[in-house]
């Protein structure tokens, strides 16, 4: 275990230029001895002391120290339960955001085990709209998580400057939020602290990433070992059942998503109040708030849907984000269709849905860990100085290779119809091409290879809504005819069998199976199914399709 | 077109694991497709660092154990972002889908796939949708599924 640090006084801080020696971190909830500090009695801890107590000694001039297989390079920020560093995985030679959990918060063995178990479950979540956790581990008593190092800004920061979002942006961000939540809920994960500060807009077009799945629960579990009465979540975005300390499920996340979407559409949060009690009273008196009351041009279906998410009774909300996502997409598709009928081009709608995110502001990083009972924190004082220092150091972007937008179904339908007999398109990457000056086009994958006309037809849609991201498709030629089997990388490992000889109404889910991250599979002539497990860098599963 | 809502039936029988094979590699691989060719199991890995598409052979002679991956060759650099692949029923063509296009290789007659590293596949490029999975319906038609669960049929001459 790391040596507890002694809190320093406010007068100790100085203007600094060297983050190794004199950067200060403002811890708003816990100090290193495990006692909780109030929001207005923050504790400051010097980075140099932290480095000496937690990390192994530095092995080079440009690092703060070592932990497990990581070279600690800079501090990025702080949160309720720990600190976030920019670090390099020396084995994979890639930079990550490394979250270090405060040892004092981890003294209870059961809480530690629970944290590791749930963090590993969250690490198994692979989705375009959920930040990837690469590694969860423990070294010298310090629990850590290695996550993708993101570049961009949080939705909270973006919205503070931008105010209400345009409807294309509301629809797009809402779809991406619900899509990420749907993938998590399908795995039994509940976020418990959905808020704009935990939603990241990734450069350059603002692809939304949800941060910190599963960690709020753990924060609660561990906090409860040192204090009583902690509620998980951020008060402004708590559901009524969270406020009341009742058990929460996916529907609580949907209430928070409703608050996020309401604020995105109107620029304001409903249920105003300075205290938790005032907000609870506002909920009781106002009922489900309307977006149209503040923004009359809101699409009525959108307004009704957000109100449905904000129902005080969880039974009246969608059961989980997958259900909400299906409804959202239907509303979005209808709205986009109407806009096009009114003369707005698909391209302009697509561009309008983008959220340009400029260079990351200095030191802006994902909210490291969920707050428990505190108000949203602002970047000021010593933390701002740390941020400025970090800006000079620069943040290397996470591999942003696939920053394409998810295309609404009606656009895909149009594409398939238009392309059945047309020559090879010149712009297969509209999201990329939109930024290119006239007459220039960014190189795309596949450029340089001989191309042929693509002649294809659209067959229909897999009817099972649980398939959120198909990852592989194989033909199973069996006695009953020709079936198609696909796996879904983001859901619990299901195999879906489709009968393409009919009208796609037959879909069968082979339940059970094994807990692996499926992205590759094939079948041999005997009907054995071979499945690759990418998560553990092993190709290890061989199953038989029944 | 169907007039009734789609039906999904959950079969009670699980997909059992009947054998397990372990493979190790000095490099981090991200398996995107598995396929059989001439009785051999091959895997293509999307290795984003340093950004290469690698073809491996997976020996299946040691159930329960671990064998090192046998690297065969590096595929054309234009194939970054591969998502899935499949061999045609007649065993003569390999289709690889890479989000916005399908690349069709002519497979060599023998089990050695090293020549694929020098081959130039033919591309069929698409607009707007992202392909995640594919397999052959017959020797001329490739079925693909998009990220949005939409299924497509591509004719390959």
């Amino acid at each position: 275990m790391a040596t507890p640090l002694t809190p320093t006084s406010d007068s100790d801080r100085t203007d600094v230029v060297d983050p190794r020696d004199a950067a200060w971190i403002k811890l708003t909830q816990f100090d290193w001895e495990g006692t909780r500090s109030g929001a207005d009695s923050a504790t400051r801890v010097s980075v140099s002391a932290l480095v000496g107590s937690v990390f192994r000694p530095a092995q080079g001039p440009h690092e703060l120290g070592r932990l497990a297989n990581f070279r600690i390079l800079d501090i990025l920020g702080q949160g309720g339960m720990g600190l976030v560093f920019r670090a390099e995985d020396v084995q994979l030679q890639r930079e990550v955001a490394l979250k270090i959990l405060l040892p004092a918060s981890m003294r209870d063995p059961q809480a530690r085990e629970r944290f590791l178990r749930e963090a590993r479950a969250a690490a198994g979540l692979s989705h375009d709209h959920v930040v990837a956790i690469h590694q969860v581990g423990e070294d010298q008593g310090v629990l850590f998580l290695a996550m993708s190092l993101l570049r961009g800004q949080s939705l909270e920061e973006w919205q503070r400057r931008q105010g209400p979002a345009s409807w294309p942006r509301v629809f797009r961000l809402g779809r991406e939020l619900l899509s990420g939540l749907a993938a998590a809920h399908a795995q039994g994960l509940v976020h418990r602290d959905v808020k704009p500060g935990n939603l990241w807009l990734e450069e350059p077009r603002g692809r939304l990433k949800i941060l910190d799945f599963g960690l709020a629960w753990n924060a609660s579990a561990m906090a409860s070992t040192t204090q009583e009465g902690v509620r998980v979540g951020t008060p402004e975005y708590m559901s009524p059942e969270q406020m009341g300390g009742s058990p929460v499920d996916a529907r609580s996340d949907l209430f928070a998503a409703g608050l996020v979407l309401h604020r995105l559409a109107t620029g304001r949060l409903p249920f105003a109040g300075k205290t938790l009690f005032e907000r609870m009273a506002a909920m009781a008196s106002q009922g489900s708030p309307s977006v149209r009351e503040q923004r009359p041009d809101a699409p009525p279906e959108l307004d009704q849907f957000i109100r449905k998410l904000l129902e005080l009774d969880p039974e009246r909300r969608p059961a989980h984000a997958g259900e909400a996502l299906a409804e959202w997409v239907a509303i979005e598709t209808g709205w986009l269709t109407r806009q096009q009928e009114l003369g707005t081009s698909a391209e302009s709608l697509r561009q309008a849905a983008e959220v340009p995110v400029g260079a990351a502001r200095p030191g802006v990083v994902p909210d490291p860990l969920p707050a428990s009972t505190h108000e949203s924190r602002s970047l000021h004082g010593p933390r701002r100085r740390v941020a400025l220092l970090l800006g000079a150091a620069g943040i290397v972007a996470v591999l942003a290779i696939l920053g394409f937008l998810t295309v609404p179904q009606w656009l895909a339908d149009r594409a398939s119809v238009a392309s059945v007999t047309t020559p090879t398109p010149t712009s297969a990457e509209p999201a990329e091409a939109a930024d290119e000056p006239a007459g220039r086009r960014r190189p795309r994958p596949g450029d340089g290879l001989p191309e042929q006309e693509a002649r294809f037809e659209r067959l229909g849609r897999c009817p099972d809504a649980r398939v959120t991201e198909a990852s592989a498709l194989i033909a199973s030629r069996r006695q009953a005819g020709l079936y198609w089997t696909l796996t879904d990388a983001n859901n619990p490992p299901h195999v879906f069998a489709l009968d393409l000889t009919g009208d796609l109404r037959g879909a069968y889910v082979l339940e059970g199976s094994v807990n692996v991250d499926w992205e590759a599979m094939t079948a041999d002539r005997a009907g054995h199914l071979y499945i690759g497990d990418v998560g553990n860098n092993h190709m290890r599963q061989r199953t038989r399709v029944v | 077109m169907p007039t009734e809502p789609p039906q999904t039936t959950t079969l009670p029988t699980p997909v059992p694991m009947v054998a397990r094979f372990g493979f190790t590699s000095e490099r981090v691989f991200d398996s995107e497709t598995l396929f059989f060719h001439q009785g051999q199991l091959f895997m293509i890995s999307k290795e984003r660092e340093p950004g290469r598409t690698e073809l491996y052979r997976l020996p299946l002679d040691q159930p329960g154990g671990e064998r090192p991956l046998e690297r065969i060759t590096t595929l054309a650099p234009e194939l970054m972002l591969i998502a899935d692949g499949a061999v045609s029923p007649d065993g003569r063509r390999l289709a690889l889908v890479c989000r916005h296009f399908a690349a069709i290789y002519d497979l060599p007659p023998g089990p050695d796939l090293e020549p694929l590293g020098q081959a130039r596949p033919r591309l069929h490029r698409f607009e707007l949708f992202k392909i995640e999975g594919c397999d052959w319906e017959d020797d001329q038609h490739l079925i693909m599924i998009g990220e949005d669960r939409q299924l497509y049929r591509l004719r390959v001459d």
Side-chain angles (χ1 to χ4, degrees):
Chain A
M1 292 287 285
T3 304
L5 301 181
T6 302
T8 55
S9 69
D10 284 5
S11 60
D12 284 340
R13 67 186 161 86
T14 58
D15 290 325
V16 294
V17 293
D18 183 352
R20 288 194 60 185
D21 294 329
W24 298 90
I25 307 160
K26 187 176 181 181
L27 301 177
T28 57
Q29 291 182 58
F30 294 89
D31 65 22
W32 286 85
E33 295 179 349
T35 56
R36 181 167 179 271
S37 316
D40 53 355
S41 59
T43 302
R44 292 190 174 89
V45 178
S46 79
V47 171
S48 55
L50 167 74
V51 167
S53 65
V54 173
F55 300 139
R56 290 195 297 273
Q59 298 178 23
H62 303 297
E63 62 183 66
L64 301 176
R66 298 270 175 141
L67 185 73
N69 50 308
F70 296 99
R71 238 169 32 102
I72 311 301
L73 302 174
D74 280 314
I75 183 167
L76 295 178
Q78 59 86 27
M81 298 293 293
L83 307 167
V84 183
F85 294 87
R86 183 170 68 92
E88 182 194 35
D89 185 327
V90 296
Q91 293 175 353
L92 299 178
Q93 295 185 339
R94 68 176 171 191
E95 290 198 346
V96 299
L98 190 70
K99 295 190 173 185
I100 308 292
L101 301 188
L102 302 183
S105 304
M106 297 287 170
R107 285 177 177 158
D108 178 1
Q110 290 185 340
R112 292 169 65 88
E113 181 57 34
R114 184 160 45 217
F115 169 83
L116 286 171
R117 187 170 60 245
E118 299 234 356
R120 283 167 182 149
L125 188 58
S126 170
H127 193 271
D128 268 358
H129 301 300
V130 178
V131 69
I133 297 178
H134 300 308
Q135 187 177 343
V136 179
E138 179 177 1
D139 185 30
Q140 303 181 100
V142 179
L143 297 179
F144 64 84
L145 300 94
M147 304 170 52
S148 293
L149 187 59
L150 299 175
R151 189 175 190 126
Q153 59 189 224
S154 71
L155 179 61
E156 175 70 40
E157 290 172 301
W158 183 82
Q159 201 159 15
R160 279 181 190 168
R161 296 201 307 274
Q162 301 290 333
S166 65
W167 296 121
R169 285 174 174 165
V170 170
F171 275 118
R172 181 202 145 186
L173 293 173
R175 171 165 34 86
E176 294 182 352
L177 169 59
L178 293 175
S179 176
L181 286 175
H185 291 172
Q187 290 200 13
L189 289 170
V190 180
H191 193 292
R192 293 179 174 82
D193 197 19
V194 174
K195 61 180 179 179
N198 276 338
L199 304 177
W200 193 257
L201 302 179
E202 191 179 20
E203 282 186 28
R205 295 176 185 81
R207 178 169 60 169
L208 185 144
K209 296 263 189 184
I210 305 173
L211 309 176
D212 286 346
F213 254 107
L215 299 183
W217 167 253
N218 293 290
S220 169
M222 288 174 289
S224 66
T225 66
T226 57
Q227 62 174 10
E228 295 181 354
V230 172
R231 296 177 183 84
V232 177
T234 303
E236 296 97 317
Y237 292 91
M238 276 185 179
S239 65
E241 58 268 30
Q242 265 178 306
M243 288 183 176
S246 302
V248 300
D249 58 20
R251 295 170 297 183
S252 183
D253 281 353
L254 291 179
F255 185 91
L259 290 169
V260 169
L261 294 170
H262 187 284
R263 184 181 168 198
L264 195 60
T266 66
R268 297 178 184 175
L269 266 175
F271 313 127
K274 294 180 180 177
T275 66
L276 198 62
F277 178 80
E278 287 178 359
R279 278 188 282 275
M280 293 177 77
M283 283 184 185
S285 62
Q286 295 173 12
S288 185
S290 167
V291 170
R292 281 170 70 85
E293 287 179 4
Q294 299 177 54
R295 199 169 165 186
D297 67 326
E301 303 90 342
L302 180 75
D303 184 35
Q304 291 168 12
F305 179 77
I306 293 177
R307 293 182 73 169
K308 186 175 172 182
L309 295 181
L310 292 174
E311 287 283 357
L312 301 187
D313 180 0
E315 295 292 333
R316 297 172 68 91
R317 299 174 212 147
H320 49 75
E323 186 179 318
L325 176 63
E327 196 168 339
W328 182 271
V329 169
I331 295 170
E332 180 184 18
T333 302
W335 185 82
L336 288 171
T337 303
R338 287 197 299 277
Q339 297 305 305
Q340 198 181 40
E341 289 170 353
L342 292 172
T344 309
S345 72
E347 177 62 17
S348 59
L349 284 169
R350 187 197 58 73
Q351 289 188 25
E354 292 186 352
V355 184
V357 179
R361 288 193 349 185
V364 175
V365 295
D367 203 13
L369 284 169
S372 286
T373 59
H374 295 278
E375 307 293 322
S376 298
R377 297 176 297 277
S378 60
L379 197 66
H380 64 274
R383 195 175 167 211
R384 174 176 291 277
R385 284 198 299 280
V386 172
L388 293 172
L389 288 166
L390 293 170
I395 299 174
V396 177
V398 68
L399 294 171
I401 301 173
L402 303 176
F404 308 142
L405 299 174
T406 303
V407 180
Q409 185 55 48
W410 68 276
L411 283 175
D413 291 348
R414 284 171 50 81
S416 64
V417 171
S419 302
V420 168
T421 57
T422 53
T424 303
T426 57
S427 179
E429 309 279 7
E432 293 290 328
D435 282 353
E436 298 302 311
R440 293 179 58 193
R441 181 174 66 76
R442 182 178 302 179
R444 301 167 298 173
D447 279 357
L449 294 177
E451 297 192 17
Q452 288 189 346
E453 177 183 350
R455 295 187 298 172
F456 61 93
E457 58 184 310
R458 188 167 61 89
L459 299 174
R461 202 172 193 193
C462 171
D464 197 303
R466 282 175 292 183
V467 179
T468 57
E469 187 176 342
S471 62
L473 181 69
I474 65 166
S476 304
R477 295 170 176 81
R478 292 179 294 167
Q479 292 180 349
L482 185 62
Y483 285 82
W484 300 84
T485 310
L486 63 99
T487 61
D488 188 350
N490 293 311
N491 274 324
H494 286 116
V495 174
F496 297 85
L498 304 172
D499 181 4
L500 293 194
T501 59
D503 54 12
L504 281 184
R505 280 187 293 173
Y508 303 93
V509 183
L510 309 181
E511 295 276 13
S513 83
V514 289
N515 184 24
V516 296
D517 185 3
W518 292 4
E519 280 204 57
M521 65 177 184
T522 191
D524 63 14
R525 293 180 179 178
H528 294 97
L529 184 67
Y530 294 77
I531 298 173
D533 174 4
V534 299
N536 294 330
N537 208 21
H538 276 61
M539 186 67 55
R540 68 177 188 184
Q541 301 293 346
R542 182 188 186 196
T543 62
R544 180 190 295 276
V545 176
V546 294
Chain B
M1 292 294 291
T3 55
E4 300 174 8
Q7 299 293 316
T8 299
T9 304
T10 298
L11 304 182
T13 309
V15 181
M17 182 177 69
V18 297
R20 175 179 299 206
F21 298 86
F23 297 97
T24 60
S25 172
E26 293 180 354
R27 301 163 62 173
V28 175
F29 66 87
D30 184 353
S31 62
E32 291 293 340
T33 182
L34 289 168
F35 61 91
F36 278 96
H37 174 65
Q38 302 281 334
Q40 303 285 322
L41 182 61
F42 292 89
M43 182 268 285
I44 296 179
S45 167
K46 176 177 64 184
E47 299 178 5
R48 296 184 179 181
E49 296 175 4
R52 294 200 296 208
T53 305
E54 301 285 275
L55 174 65
Y56 294 93
R57 191 179 75 87
L58 307 180
L60 296 178
D61 54 356
Q62 194 179 85
E66 286 202 348
R67 291 283 302 273
L69 283 177
E70 183 183 332
R71 182 182 163 278
I72 304 299
T73 189
T74 300
L75 298 179
E78 295 88 347
L79 296 180
M80 276 182 60
L81 313 185
I82 178 177
D84 199 10
V87 174
S88 61
D90 63 8
R92 296 170 64 178
R93 289 193 278 204
L94 169 66
L96 301 180
V97 290
C98 305
R99 291 251 159 184
H100 295 285
F101 62 81
I104 309 297
Y105 281 93
D106 291 322
L107 287 171
D112 181 12
L113 291 186
E114 188 176 355
L116 290 186
Q118 302 300 318
R120 308 294 288 170
R122 299 179 304 282
L123 252 61
H124 298 267
R125 199 184 286 278
F126 317 115
E127 277 189 285
L128 295 177
F129 54 85
K130 293 198 287 189
I131 294 299
E132 286 286 348
C134 74
D135 203 357
W136 295 80
E137 184 176 26
D138 54 38
D139 294 331
Q140 275 79 43
H141 293 94
L142 187 69
I143 301 292
M144 301 176 293
I145 187 164
E147 197 177 60
D148 55 356
R149 315 202 316 264
Q150 188 71 48
L151 287 147
Y152 303 90
R153 176 187 284 122
L154 172 71
R155 178 174 174 80
V156 179
D157 294 323

